[in-house]
Amino acid sequence: MKYSQQIGIVAAFILLGLCFLPWTVIESKGLTISGFAAEGTSFGRPGLFHVFFCTAAILFFAIPRIWTKRTNVFIGAINLAWAIRNYVLVSSCMFGECPVKQPALYGILACAIIIQIMVLFPKIPVVKTEES
């Protein structure tokens, strides 16, 4: 794909921005859970993992070397797995109480899927050699 690197970089930046928005709301306790603010729960700060791996993905999307494109496949897969984990963990019902899912939670999952697809189509310059 011609624009796979640019689409991957934009998706990674959007994912980073979505980490600051509310993911779920637990109405009975009055809690709003986001990637960096999950006080009152045992979720920790799940957005930090996304920040690390999205930053690495952006860097590897920008560097035109074969080893960065190969490494980026694993970084995208780890990021997608973490997004799936966050979706399942943060949106699951606990003790008979279901949180209200916010659009940012779906956006994080969608951006992680887009990043994973874009790392599978790297733009690698092909050098033609003369055959004798």
Side-chain angles (χ1 to χ4, degrees):
M1 291 178 70
K2 186 175 181 180
Y3 297 108
S4 64
Q5 305 306 292
Q6 292 87 350
I7 294 170
I9 290 171
V10 169
F13 275 122
I14 292 172
L15 196 149
L16 288 175
L18 290 173
C19 286
F20 292 97
L21 297 176
W23 290 357
T24 59
V25 175
I26 302 173
E27 293 175 349
S28 66
K29 294 183 181 180
L31 297 175
T32 301
I33 299 168
S34 70
F36 297 110
E39 289 84 15
T41 64
S42 61
F43 298 144
R45 294 171 65 188
L48 286 177
F49 202 81
H50 282 302
V51 168
F52 177 75
F53 280 99
C54 282
T55 304
I58 291 168
L59 182 67
F60 288 165
F61 273 128
I63 298 173
R65 300 276 185 238
I66 188 72
W67 66 270
T68 59
K69 306 307 179 192
R70 291 176 180 166
T71 306
N72 216 8
V73 172
F74 294 107
I75 288 174
I78 292 169
N79 199 14
L80 177 60
W82 190 254
I84 292 169
R85 175 247 184 216
N86 286 335
Y87 179 81
V88 170
L89 184 68
V90 173
S91 68
S92 63
C93 299
M94 292 183 193
F95 305 114
E97 186 174 359
C98 295
V100 178
K101 299 174 194 170
Q102 300 298 311
L105 188 63
Y106 297 112
I108 285 178
L109 194 58
C111 286
I113 291 170
I114 291 170
I115 291 169
Q116 181 61 38
I117 291 170
M118 292 303 118
V119 299
L120 296 176
F121 299 109
K123 182 180 177 185
I124 301 171
V126 178
V127 179
K128 288 189 175 184
T129 59
E130 292 186 38
E131 295 181 23
S132 311

